[in-house]
């Protein structure tokens, strides 16, 4: 393709960052779909408007989810992207592949689609960008033969996703990979056959380092944590002090709850005030380790801006032991989804429903006790609504 | 707009095959269209029950009902829904019932 076709997009290739334009041009050399995609995007930049139509409903047999329909609003100019559907493919937990699996995946996509991929999307899934309606079923069949399945989309349980956890990381407080895989297999029906008012996302972080990934991006966040004291090796603390870091300024002063003391010889942690944020452990991984009793904090309600504004998940279970087959966790998810499905309006996320009906209604419905850790904004609004009968009890 | 011909009549549909002129819907349309949604042979009483339910709801409220409501009102579960309409309630059932396409980006 001549360079002059896309002068606006060419700007995005300048500078030292990787550029999706470069990738798309490469794909355009063998894929007419990718070529029309480039040209349509150039027109969008010129017209300052997206040239895709609003939504589309396509799918494969037996599934109501996994394919997102897209059509160009200028098929006269860009016939090869008249239909340009996205397939969401369930990623292997932790994103571990053998290279032959990746080659297989790309071969399938070269055969059926634009050859453009997004590894991996914000949802965690493998995003295969751009195929035609008549290729959907055969592409799905080829994906299945290669051992892959579609993920969630639309008003379904979205593909659960997790940090790499114990696969590579010594800080993992829970087996995020196993939790994620177990939930994925357990909830196949809810993923493939949308039945909810809107999307529902589950993300598992095995420690607080990845907390934003789960609290900002999922309705149901699982974050690994511990009970009891951080394990300290004072000899190693000293070694850090001598050779590597300024413990006062870099560790103690940056502890969010200021619960650490350093006298030049010994580090003291007031564990009752520690919020288990991981900061000190990150800086001195040889000297400090998470406490011995491991489990997870469960939070709910996170979502991105659409409809009513962004929410971050907040705590509903301060500590839950997570051991296979994760019955307690699944029971809680089921109770929550059931309540949301029963009361939620169309396109209302869990966090919005709790905001609308109130936390006390939610807690009673899912059978959780109110505990101080649930107070969402303790510094600005520590108030809790009690049920009238609870107030009665106190009066007597 | 693409056109399709079913049982001798022409219909305007959108690119996903959803009927554009809602008042043109009739039972022959649904029956003749069924095979494109992986339903073999004649539509059964159970199919019609769902199709008529969707049409009534749509006429009353102007939108398609939520899945949970369908299941509750008709006393069927998700498994049964997909047995009847293998391409799902949103795509298969709404299309045969002649409802306008459920909108939304994702
Ligand atoms: C007005 C139009 C659009 C809106 C409001 C919109 C909105 C969104 C939203 C809210 C998501 C996140 C969904 C989720 O994670 O559950 C999303 C994801 C996505 N959208 Fe769109 N979208 C639009 C148009 C498009 C178009 C035209 C395309 C492609 C041709 C597209 C491709 C995608 C893909 C591939 C994802 C998944 C990305 C990932 O999981 O990382 N979208 N979109
Ligand atoms: C630098 C800017 C931005 C970044 C990096 C970003 C990133 C993301 C990511 C990663 C997601 C997916 C979250 C998930 O996994 O659920 C998302 C979702 C979304 N974003 Fe953004 N975003 C940005 C700006 C915006 C803006 C400006 C808007 C709207 C005005 C927006 C609207 C949305 C919506 C509606 C969703 C889907 C939310 C949901 O339904 O959960 N984003 N964004
Ligand atoms: S979130 Fe924690 S456990 Fe998971 S990979 Fe990151 S540091 Fe390791
Ligand atoms: S984990 Fe965080 S809050 Fe706890 S002692 Fe370390 S820095 Fe402070």
């Amino acid at each position: 393709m001549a360079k002059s076709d896309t002068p606006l997009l060419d700007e995005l290739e300048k500078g030292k960052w990787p550029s999706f334009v470069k990738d798309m041009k490469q794909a355009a050399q063998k894929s007419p779909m990718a070529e029309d995609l480039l040209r349509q995007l150039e027109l969008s930049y010129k017209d300052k408007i997206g040239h895709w139509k609003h939504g589309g409903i396509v799918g494969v047999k037996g599934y109501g989810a996994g394919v997102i329909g897209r059509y160009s609003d200028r098929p006269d100019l860009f016939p090869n992207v008249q239909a340009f559907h996205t397939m969401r493919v369930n990623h292997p937990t932790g994103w571990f592949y053998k290279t032959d699996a990746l080659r297989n995946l790309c071969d399938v996509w070269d055969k059926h689609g634009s050859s453009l991929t997004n590894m991996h999307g914000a949802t965690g899934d493998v995003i295969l960008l751009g195929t035609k309606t008549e290729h959907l079923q055969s592409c799905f069949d080829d994906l299945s033969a290669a051992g892959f399945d579609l993920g969630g989309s639309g008003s379904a349980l979205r593909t659960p996703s997790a940090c790499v956890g114990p696969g590579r990381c010594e800080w993992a407080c829970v087996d995020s990979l196993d939790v994620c895989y177990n939930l994925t297999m357990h909830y196949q029906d809810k993923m493939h056959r949308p039945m909810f008012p809107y999307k529902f996302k589950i993300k598992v972080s095995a420690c607080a380092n990845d907390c934003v990934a789960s609290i900002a991006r999922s309705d149901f966040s699982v974050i690994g944590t511990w009970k009891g004291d951080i394990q300290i090796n004072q000899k190693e603390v000293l070694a850090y002090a001598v050779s590597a870091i300024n413990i006062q300024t870099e560790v103690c002063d940056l502890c969010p709850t200021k619960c650490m003391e350093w006298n030049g010889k010994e580090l003291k942690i007031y564990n009752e005030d520690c919020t288990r944020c991981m900061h000190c452990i990150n800086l001195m991984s040889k000297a400090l380790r998470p406490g011995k009793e491991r489990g997870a904090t469960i939070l709910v309600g996170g979502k991105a801006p659409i409809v009513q504004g962004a929410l971050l998940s907040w705590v509903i279970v301060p500590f839950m032991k997570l051991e296979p087959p994760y019955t307690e966790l699944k029971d809680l998810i089921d109770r929550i989804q059931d309540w949301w499905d029963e009361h939620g309006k169309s396109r209302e996320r869990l966090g919005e429903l709790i905001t609308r009906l109130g936390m006390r209604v939610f807690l009673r419905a899912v059978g959780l006790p109110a505990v101080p850790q649930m107070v969402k904004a303790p510094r600005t609004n520590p108030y809790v609504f009690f049920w009238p009968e609870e107030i009665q009890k106190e009066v007597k | 707009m693409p056109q399709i011909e079913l049982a001798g009549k022409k219909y305007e549909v959108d690119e996903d095959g959803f009927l554009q002129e809602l008042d043109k819907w009739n039972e022959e349309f649904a029956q003749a269209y069924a095979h494109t949604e992986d339903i073999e042979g004649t539509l059964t009483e159970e199919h019609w029950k769902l199709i008529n339910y969707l049409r009534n709801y749509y006429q009353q409220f102007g939108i398609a009902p939520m899945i949970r409501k369908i299941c509750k009102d008709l006393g069927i579960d998700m498994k049964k829904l997909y047995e009847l309409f293998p391409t799902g309630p949103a795509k298969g059932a709404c299309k045969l019932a002649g409802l306008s396409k459920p909108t939304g980006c994702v």
Side-chain angles (χ1 to χ4, degrees), chain A residues 226 230 251 254-260 269 273-281 288:
Chain A
W226 64 90
I230 292 180
V251 182
L254 295 180
C255 164
T257 59
K258 303 283 180 288
C259 68
M260 311 180 85
I269 300 179
D273 286 329
C274 165
T275 49
R276 300 170 309 281
C277 77
M278 292 297 290
H279 168 70
C280 58
I281 298 174
L288 303 177

Side-chain angles (χ1 to χ4, degrees), chain A residues 53-59 61-62 64 70-71 193-195 338 341-342 344 346-347, chain B residues 15-16 18 38 66-68 72 78 82 86-88 90-91 101-106:
Chain A
K53 287 191 192 173
H54 198 79
I57 293 200
V58 287
K61 193 171 170 178
R70 291 289 167 222
Y71 298 96
R193 288 171 269 283
M195 57 177 293
D338 232 41
D341 204 12
E342 180 69 30
S346 174
R347 306 220 128 203
Chain B
E15 57 274 270
D16 288 330
F18 282 79
D38 291 317
M66 298 199 338
I67 306 290
R68 189 178 180 94
K72 256 192 178 170
M78 291 291 283
Y82 277 82
T87 55
K91 181 170 179 285
K101 176 161 69 184
T103 53
C105 268
V106 267

Side-chain angles (χ1 to χ4, degrees), chain A residues 194-212:
Chain A
M195 57 177 293
F196 297 141
Y198 202 16
K199 62 184 88 165
F200 193 97
K201 297 180 177 176
I202 300 176
K203 299 208 195 290
V204 188
S205 303
C207 84
N209 276 329
D210 189 41
C211 65
V212 171

